[in-house]
Amino acid sequence: MEFTGFGEHAIDFYDGLVADNSKAYWDDNKHVYQRDVRAPMEALLAAMEPEFGKGKVFRPYRDVRFSKDKTPYKDHCGGVVELGRGGGAHYVQIGTEGLFVAGGSFAMASDQLARYRESVADDVRGRALEKLLAKLERAGWELRGDKLKRAPRGLDPEHPRIELLKHKRVYVAKVWPPDDVLHEPGCLDRVREAWRQVTPLVDWCADHIGLTEVGFRR
């Protein structure tokens, strides 16, 4: 399937799901999800594969086993191309807010977090990350990621990059509210250019965080 844009009812589908996150709504509107959301997302990732690698679409079902929120369905559809969890990823998402594009490290296991902090604390690797992030922020990207309130144990609270060292996840994001481009072939160009911009950050994460050897814990 060639990517020609997300379907005209994609945002309406998620607006409805936010209002009624139930199996009844899902069953009644699953054909809209398949036609206007999932199939275009698969086509978009396929079109990006020659440059960025093979992507995958996330499941629409929430993992509610350990959550107080028992709503069964995600209020967005996400697609990712990643080295491995935490090791650097390009991400794209469609939902009620429109088109969300991001890049970086979205989760870190304990060994990955240790390598991240070691790299940020290092003058050469840490300054390289600072420069990458500064350039992206000047281009309209927002730095995101969970942070500790205080300096991590064993690190100098006065370190020049202490705010980066507090991060437990580090990525940048940009959002385009729903517009005509979302439903046109030009949406592919928008995502492609955005992913190209964040590639240096994704590469930094791949080089200095890498894949986990210990796995993730809840």
Side-chain angles (χ1 to χ4, degrees):
M1 175 180 173
E2 181 181 0
F3 180 79
T4 57
F6 289 95
E8 63 175 320
H9 299 295
I11 300 301
D12 292 339
F13 169 80
Y14 281 112
D15 285 340
L17 185 61
V18 169
D20 180 14
N21 197 315
S22 68
K23 187 175 187 301
Y25 175 88
W26 183 266
D27 288 345
D28 286 346
N29 295 276
K30 188 175 181 180
H31 66 286
V32 180
Y33 165 77
Q34 294 287 358
R35 181 192 66 212
D36 289 358
V37 178
R38 188 175 183 96
M41 181 65 79
E42 291 174 344
L44 186 151
L45 293 177
M48 302 287 270
E49 184 174 346
E51 182 172 351
F52 297 96
K54 188 173 180 60
K56 68 175 182 180
V57 181
F58 286 101
R59 288 162 47 88
Y61 312 106
R62 296 183 62 249
D63 184 351
V64 300
R65 292 174 298 170
F66 305 97
S67 175
K68 293 180 180 179
D69 179 3
K70 299 301 182 182
T71 51
Y73 304 103
K74 296 176 182 176
D75 61 2
H76 59 271
C77 176
V80 68
V81 176
E82 61 183 350
L83 171 68
R85 191 175 179 192
H90 293 86
Y91 181 77
V92 59
Q93 172 181 302
I94 181 175
T96 55
E97 66 179 345
L99 182 71
F100 175 95
V101 183
S105 178
F106 297 91
M108 295 187 211
S110 58
D111 60 326
Q112 292 173 309
L113 186 58
R115 290 193 294 272
Y116 167 76
R117 289 175 177 163
E118 178 184 356
S119 297
V120 173
D122 178 77
D123 278 345
V124 174
R125 291 171 287 168
R127 287 176 180 172
L129 177 60
E130 273 188 315
K131 291 179 180 178
L132 286 175
L133 293 173
K135 182 177 180 180
L136 288 165
E137 288 180 289
R138 288 194 299 270
W141 292 86
E142 178 186 358
L143 176 61
R144 297 190 183 188
D146 299 342
K147 294 174 63 176
L148 298 173
K149 293 182 179 180
R150 298 182 177 83
R153 185 178 301 176
L155 293 177
D156 181 4
E158 302 301 319
H159 192 285
R161 288 179 294 282
I162 192 59
E163 292 305 313
L164 281 176
L165 287 165
K166 291 179 183 178
H167 275 261
K168 297 188 290 182
R169 300 190 294 162
V170 60
Y171 63 94
V172 294
K174 187 179 286 191
V175 178
W176 287 266
D179 60 8
D180 290 343
V181 176
L182 185 68
H183 308 290
E184 298 171 352
C187 183
L188 176 63
D189 298 325
R190 179 177 280 176
V191 176
R192 181 184 288 115
E193 177 56 30
W195 278 14
R196 286 173 177 170
Q197 289 181 21
V198 300
T199 291
L201 174 58
V202 174
D203 289 345
W204 188 95
C205 293
D207 291 341
H208 303 301
I209 298 175
L211 298 178
T212 180
E213 298 175 357
V214 299
F216 290 85
R217 297 180 181 178
R218 287 194 169 274

